[in-house]
Amino acid sequence: MKNKLIFPLLFAVMFLQAQDNYMSLSFGTGTPLGDFVKNESLTDHGFAKVGFMADYSGAYYPIKYLGIGASVKFNQFIPDRNTILERLVEVLPPGAGDEVSEFKMGFWSDVSFGIGPQFTLPVSIFNIDVFAFPGLHIVAPPELKLTAEINDEPYFTRVTSQNVRFGFEVGASLRINLGQTAGLRVFVSYLQTSSKGEIIGEDGGRAESTQVDFSKTISVLN
């Protein structure tokens, strides 16, 4: 039993296949691209580092070679903590930069639900797939909690955002048949969605002192 559990973890991918459909569970990395990896602007850049990816996907083939594929994917990224703190301090009201007492930061996360066409070319024990999955994304920007004092009054930040966004994923995979019901799947894909919201600074919880609107394009190589 232990060997059966360790086997798929070692290869990081597995799939169960029937004659006209398959299901797969895959794990790997997500590499941020473009503005999502840049770390200069709070309004446009994501400050993201290489993260973790988990994917549950499959396809059904009503006709030969052409199927309907779908996936549920989870991506998580750790932001560049030190650089984000520097950028937040830059937008603090005068006098607060040297009085930061606490800073907590969360993660970027994206849960996507995609469905679309998938073309498959069988070659011996291999299946080569090409797919395109538009769909909905539940995007959560990192929680940024900064606490400072301005004129003996507490100052802190919070993040609000629109969580449900549209996005798409395109990619290709190689499935290797190990038998009638099992095999290995390796894939690469490009995923894109967005995040929009505000970083709000409040003075003593009574009045909004600063507000930074952000609109970021999230581009990932899985």
Side-chain angles (χ1 to χ4, degrees), residues 141-209:
E143 183 179 15
L144 303 175
K145 290 186 176 180
L146 182 147
T147 304
E149 286 192 6
I150 304 174
N151 298 324
D152 297 325
E153 292 288 343
Y155 177 94
F156 56 91
T157 62
R158 59 185 176 89
V159 177
T160 64
S161 66
Q162 300 175 4
N163 294 109
V164 179
R165 310 291 291 173
F166 177 78
F168 68 90
E169 180 183 16
V170 294
S173 65
L174 174 66
R175 289 182 284 126
I176 307 170
N177 297 321
L178 300 181
Q180 292 295 320
T181 60
L184 301 176
R185 176 177 182 261
V186 179
F187 81 91
V188 61
S189 71
Y190 172 80
L191 178 149
Q192 182 174 304
T193 184
S194 61
S195 179
K196 186 176 182 180
E198 301 86 29
I199 302 173
I200 300 173
E202 298 180 332
D203 183 0
R206 296 187 298 272
E208 296 182 0
S209 300

Side-chain angles (χ1 to χ4, degrees), residues 14-24 59 61 120 122 124-127 129 175-185:
M14 75 174 186
F15 72 90
L16 301 178
Q17 178 166 297
Q19 183 175 0
D20 297 318
N21 62 81
Y22 77 89
M23 295 181 296
S24 71
Y61 294 88
T120 297
S124 184
I125 64 170
F126 304 100
N127 286 284
D129 305 318
R175 289 182 284 126
I176 307 170
N177 297 321
L178 300 181
Q180 292 295 320
T181 60
L184 301 176
R185 176 177 182 261

Side-chain angles (χ1 to χ4, degrees), residues 3-221:
N3 290 336
K4 292 181 179 179
L5 293 175
I6 292 174
F7 179 75
L9 295 177
L10 289 176
F11 286 95
V13 291
M14 75 174 186
F15 72 90
L16 301 178
Q17 178 166 297
Q19 183 175 0
D20 297 318
N21 62 81
Y22 77 89
M23 295 181 296
S24 71
L25 180 63
S26 307
F27 302 94
T29 60
T31 302
L33 303 172
D35 287 343
F36 192 42
V37 74
K38 293 180 180 179
N39 59 4
E40 299 173 0
S41 169
L42 288 173
T43 60
D44 304 315
H45 298 162
F47 300 77
K49 298 181 178 181
V50 174
F52 170 79
M53 179 276 303
D55 172 271
Y56 179 69
S57 60
Y60 172 74
Y61 294 88
I63 60 177
K64 193 174 183 180
Y65 303 142
L66 185 61
I68 301 171
S71 74
V72 179
K73 182 175 276 82
F74 172 76
N75 276 287
Q76 186 178 75
F77 306 91
I78 301 175
D80 186 338
R81 175 186 174 88
N82 293 334
T83 308
I84 284 185
L85 177 57
E86 291 176 3
R87 299 297 176 267
L88 285 174
V89 169
E90 290 174 358
V91 299
L92 288 176
D98 297 328
E99 302 296 333
V100 176
S101 59
E102 183 181 28
F103 177 61
K104 294 182 179 180
M105 184 187 69
F107 303 90
W108 277 104
S109 67
D110 174 34
V111 180
S112 61
F113 303 87
I115 184 170
Q118 177 163 305
F119 175 79
T120 297
L121 177 65
V123 180
S124 184
I125 64 170
F126 304 100
N127 286 284
I128 302 170
D129 305 318
V130 179
F131 56 87
F133 297 158
L136 294 179
H137 292 243
I138 301 175
V139 181
E143 183 179 15
L144 303 175
K145 290 186 176 180
L146 182 147
T147 304
E149 286 192 6
I150 304 174
N151 298 324
D152 297 325
E153 292 288 343
Y155 177 94
F156 56 91
T157 62
R158 59 185 176 89
V159 177
T160 64
S161 66
Q162 300 175 4
N163 294 109
V164 179
R165 310 291 291 173
F166 177 78
F168 68 90
E169 180 183 16
V170 294
S173 65
L174 174 66
R175 289 182 284 126
I176 307 170
N177 297 321
L178 300 181
Q180 292 295 320
T181 60
L184 301 176
R185 176 177 182 261
V186 179
F187 81 91
V188 61
S189 71
Y190 172 80
L191 178 149
Q192 182 174 304
T193 184
S194 61
S195 179
K196 186 176 182 180
E198 301 86 29
I199 302 173
I200 300 173
E202 298 180 332
D203 183 0
R206 296 187 298 272
E208 296 182 0
S209 300
T210 61
Q211 177 173 317
V212 178
D213 297 326
F214 64 83
S215 180
K216 307 176 190 295
T217 299
I218 297 174
S219 304
V220 180
L221 180 68

